[in-house]
């Protein structure tokens, strides 16, 4: 059985070779035209792209692909849509305990260690947090969906630590997708609770995994009505969307980080019953939303 050569099963490389052959031009011709247009690409790089040994990386290379599509008479995105996700992992920054500004930081670190799952080999590319607040103003349920990139080796587990300061009993994890919940650890202090999510298949760097799970909070009250997300390293997109019960809307809400020293800037909820914030990148640290009601002690 013939072993495929580099690029034979690579959609981007196959399409680029076919377009060059159809236009009956050389790589030298492409290089010269790109230089004339202000998007120079070396002959070696063009050869790597055509063979499938490398894919375009970075804004400059992607701009060059747009020019190549025009030069070869291709529809827009004919090549760009085939590039796929970046294969560059890049160095990971040294981890910073995300809850170091809180008294539960030590419990969170001890819980992470007790879970005995790989740490320091994941990068959060994007995370979506959707939280439901009940009619008493308490966070009742939260969905998390994230895309993780493995940065080193092959891993099959992902650890997650939940901060439960001031709560009675651990949260309840359920409805996992892309993974299944396995080991748990309840810190003796009662301020941190950890779970291990076993990925549906092992992932090797620099590939990605998508995870989703639900957390229910069976509590009657909390010290501070808030929803937060912590990262130990810089990460990508972070969306936090809080949905309030229509029978009791808060009078204010605001975003915060644990690095903030000033009071949380207050915003009104407006005519709807939701609030959201979006960060193009965030970390390390804690980011979240708080809310309150006039006449209630926060």
């Amino acid at each position: 059985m013939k072993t495929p050569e580099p690029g034979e099963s690579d959609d981007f490389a196959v399409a680029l070779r076919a377009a060059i052959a159809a236009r009956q031009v050389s790589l030298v011709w492409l290089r010269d035209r790109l230089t004339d247009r202000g998007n120079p690409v070396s002959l070696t790089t063009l050869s790597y792209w055509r063979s499938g040994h490398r894919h375009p990386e970075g804004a400059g290379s992607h701009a060059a692909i747009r020019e190549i599509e025009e030069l070869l008479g291709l529809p827009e995105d004919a090549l760009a849509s085939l590039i796929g996700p970046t294969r560059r992992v890049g160095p990971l920054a040294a981890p910073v305990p995300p809850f170091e500004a809180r008294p539960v930081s030590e419990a969170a670190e001890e819980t992470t260690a007790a879970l005995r799952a790989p740490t320091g080999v994941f990068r959060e590319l994007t995370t979506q947090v959707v939280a439901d607040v009940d009619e008493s103003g308490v966070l009742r349920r939260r969905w998390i969906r994230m895309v993780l990139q493995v940065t080193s080796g092959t891993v099959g587990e992902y650890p997650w630590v939940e901060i439960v300061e001031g709560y009675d009993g651990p949260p309840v994890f359920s409805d996992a997708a892309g993974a299944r919940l396995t080991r748990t650890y309840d810190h003796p202090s009662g301020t941190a609770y950890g779970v291990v999510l076993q990925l549906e298949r092992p992932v090797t760097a620099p590939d990605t995994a998508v995870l989703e799970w639900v957390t229910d909070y069976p509590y009657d009250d909390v010290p501070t009505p808030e929803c937060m997300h912590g990262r130990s390293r810089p990460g990508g997109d972070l969306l936090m969307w809080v949905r309030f019960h229509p029978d009791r809307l808060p009078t204010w809400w605001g975003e915060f980080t644990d690095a903030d020293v000033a009071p949380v800037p207050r915003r009104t909820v407006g005519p709807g019953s939701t609030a959201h914030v979006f960060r193009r990148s965030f970390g390390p640290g804690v980011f979240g939303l708080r809310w309150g009601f006039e006449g209630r002690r926060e």
Side-chain angles (χ1 to χ4, degrees):
M1 181 176 181
K2 179 179 179 293
T3 301
E5 295 296 327
E8 281 189 355
S9 59
D10 184 316
D11 290 342
F12 169 77
V14 169
L16 179 59
R17 286 198 299 271
I20 291 173
R23 186 75 165 78
Q24 296 183 339
V25 297
S26 67
L27 292 185
V28 173
W29 182 90
L30 264 185
R31 181 201 60 188
D32 293 345
R33 301 290 86 69
L34 289 170
T35 300
D36 292 342
R37 289 174 172 234
N39 282 295
V41 178
S42 71
L43 196 61
T44 301
T45 297
L46 289 172
S47 179
Y48 279 142
W49 290 353
R50 185 179 62 176
S51 67
H53 281 89
R54 293 182 188 172
H55 273 195
E57 300 276 359
S61 293
H62 282 261
I65 291 301
R66 300 293 188 186
E67 297 285 0
I68 290 174
E69 288 173 344
E70 291 187 17
L71 290 168
L72 299 180
L74 298 173
E76 184 177 354
D77 285 336
L79 295 176
S81 63
L82 301 176
I83 293 174
T86 179
R87 305 299 291 180
R88 288 182 181 174
V89 176
L92 278 180
V96 176
F99 304 104
E100 63 180 352
R102 296 180 176 232
V104 299
S105 179
E106 185 175 345
E109 292 184 56
E110 292 175 353
T111 300
T112 300
L115 292 174
R116 305 185 312 279
T119 59
V121 294
F122 295 100
R123 175 184 284 121
E124 279 187 46
L125 298 182
T126 182
T127 300
Q128 298 175 355
V129 180
V130 181
D132 279 348
V133 178
D134 67 12
E135 62 274 16
S136 66
V138 173
L139 175 63
R140 188 61 62 192
R141 169 171 281 198
R142 186 193 61 200
W143 288 260
I144 290 184
R145 177 182 298 158
M146 60 173 57
V147 181
L148 296 169
Q149 182 183 39
V150 175
T151 61
S152 177
T154 299
V155 295
E157 295 181 330
Y158 177 70
W160 176 263
V161 175
E162 189 81 18
I163 298 303
V164 290
E165 49 187 329
Y167 297 139
D168 298 322
V172 178
F173 291 79
S174 63
D175 296 337
R180 67 182 184 90
L181 300 166
T182 55
R183 303 186 301 280
T184 65
Y185 179 79
D186 193 357
H187 194 271
S189 68
T191 59
Y193 186 80
V195 300
V196 173
L197 295 103
Q198 182 176 325
L199 308 182
E200 60 185 5
R201 64 183 64 88
V203 179
T204 300
D207 289 335
T208 57
V210 179
L211 307 180
E212 182 181 72
W213 70 92
V214 176
T215 309
D216 286 286
Y217 302 91
Y219 315 122
D220 294 329
D221 199 5
V222 292
T224 303
E226 66 181 21
C227 178
M228 63 181 179
H229 181 71
R231 285 176 174 170
S232 60
R233 289 182 169 87
D237 294 351
L238 174 58
L239 168 67
M240 187 166 292
W241 185 30
V242 179
R243 306 183 298 196
F244 302 104
H245 195 283
D247 291 344
R248 192 183 183 206
L249 299 179
T251 55
W252 64 268
W253 68 273
E255 62 186 80
F256 71 93
T257 72
D258 269 1
D260 294 335
V261 294
V264 176
R266 297 190 173 194
R267 308 180 189 179
T268 59
V269 175
S273 59
T274 71
H276 81 275
V277 290
F278 175 77
R279 291 286 185 94
R280 179 62 64 185
S281 61
F282 177 77
V286 172
F287 177 73
L289 289 181
R290 288 191 183 125
W291 55 90
F293 306 86
E294 295 298 335
R296 172 177 176 166
R297 183 184 301 170
E298 303 299 347

